[in-house]
Amino acid sequence: GESLLETVIAVFDNQGSITAAARRLGVHRNTIDARMKQTYDLLDLDPTEADHRLMLYLAARTHHTAR
């Protein structure tokens, strides 16, 4: 949902820093970890693959700016 999109954008906006993204969203870093895992699982992406991270970033940015 919306919280997953916000989380992805916050993580990428903070150069992948889970701690900084958690601070920005006002949640615990474990929440960010769980949301990112859920996102990668839902999309069947592997977070260790650079191409998959790029696809996630581009999709999140495209959706966010299209709203």
Side-chain angles (χ1 to χ4, degrees):
E2 195 66 28
S3 63
L4 294 180
L5 178 61
E6 289 173 350
T7 299
V8 169
I9 290 170
V11 169
F12 282 115
D13 282 353
N14 286 284
Q15 294 73 44
S17 172
I18 299 297
T19 302
R23 221 181 354 247
R24 175 176 158 186
L25 296 176
V27 298
H28 194 275
R29 60 174 283 117
N30 290 350
T31 302
I32 300 295
D33 279 332
R35 287 179 184 172
M36 290 301 291
K37 181 180 179 345
Q38 182 181 6
T39 300
Y40 280 109
D41 288 348
L42 282 170
L43 299 173
D44 196 30
L45 297 175
D46 181 350
T48 65
E49 295 287 330
D51 288 348
H52 289 199
R53 292 191 307 271
L54 177 61
M55 285 189 291
L56 179 58
Y57 172 76
L58 293 174
R61 275 285 163 215
T62 301
H63 180 76
H64 183 71
T65 55
R67 292 193 280 156

